Structures are given as C-alpha cells and as structure tokens.
Amino acid sequence: MQIVGFSLVATFLALIVKEQKPNFAFLLIVFVGCAIFLFLVDQIYAIIHMIEKIAVNAKVNIVYVETILKIIGIAYIAEFAAQITKDAGQGAIAAKIEMGGKILILAMAIPILTVLIETIIRMIPS
C-alpha cells in the first residue's frame, strides 16, 4: 500500500509539473522508480535467501541457483532500464536494452541448458 500511495502521489505530481517543466517531471519519475526499488531491496534479499536455503535443503548445486537468480536480476534490470528509456521518449534505445538483456540471459543460461540436455540424453535408453 505504501508503494501504491507513493507512486500515485508521484504520478499526479509529475502530471502537474510536466506542464511547466517536463525535464523535472521525468527526473521525478526516475527518482520514484529508484526509490521503489530501494524500498524493495530487503524483500528481494529475503526472497533470494529463502531460495538459496530451499536449494541447499534439496541438495541442488548452488551454482545453478545463483545463475538463475542472476538471470532473473538481468531481466528485471533490463526491463527497468527499458521502461525509463521509453519514458524519456527513446523507444529505439529501449528496444536495444531489451535485446541486450535477452542475449545476456541466453548466454548465462547455456551452462544450465547443457546440463539439462546431457541429463535427458542419459535418461534415454541407447
């Protein structure tokens, strides 16, 4: 509720300020986005810690869990950057950010995909 309230107030304020100073309104929106992210850092840490604990209990190789968490982080950061860039009216750059994020995700996922394919091949009878 705090995030929603904060966001709505900032949105209305940005709409009012946009008439007079569009650059200031854009900076306000960027600031609010960063503030929301910083507000959620504790929850993000708790989720990551919980996932790592579950992986250890399930005896899953922690390298794979860390890789998946990095992939999720790349997706969120790329999305955040693309949305900010779109808000600035730079849709072409936003598309490049999204493409770059997808390529990084694919590159990081290759070791996991390799292990998955090798496991499936070992399960298939010869």
Side-chain angles (χ1 to χ4, degrees):
M1 289 304 289
Q2 291 175 343
I3 293 172
V4 172
F6 182 63
S7 299
L8 289 175
V9 169
T11 300
F12 293 132
L13 185 59
L15 288 173
I16 292 169
V17 172
K18 191 174 187 176
E19 302 276 327
Q20 303 290 326
K21 304 252 183 186
N23 291 340
F24 186 71
F26 174 70
L27 290 175
L28 175 66
I29 296 301
V30 171
F31 171 76
V32 169
C34 292
I36 290 170
F37 177 75
L38 291 174
F39 182 77
L40 295 173
V41 167
D42 289 337
Q43 284 78 18
I44 293 168
Y45 175 77
I47 291 168
I48 290 170
H49 183 70
M50 181 184 64
I51 291 171
E52 288 176 342
K53 188 175 176 182
I54 291 170
V56 168
N57 289 341
K59 295 180 175 73
V60 174
N61 191 339
I62 198 70
V63 172
Y64 300 128
V65 175
E66 288 175 353
T67 302
I68 290 171
L69 290 173
K70 287 177 186 177
I71 287 170
I72 293 168
I74 290 169
Y76 281 125
I77 291 169
E79 177 68 20
F80 180 75
Q83 290 299 325
I84 295 273
T85 308
K86 284 179 187 174
D87 288 345
Q90 300 297 320
I93 295 174
K96 304 308 182 281
I97 291 170
E98 290 171 345
M99 183 179 65
K102 290 173 186 175
I103 290 170
L104 286 173
I105 288 170
L106 180 60
M108 292 194 77
I110 288 174
I112 295 173
L113 291 172
T114 303
V115 169
L116 183 62
I117 291 169
E118 288 173 355
T119 304
I120 292 171
I121 289 172
R122 273 188 262 135
M123 296 173 99
I124 297 174
S126 300

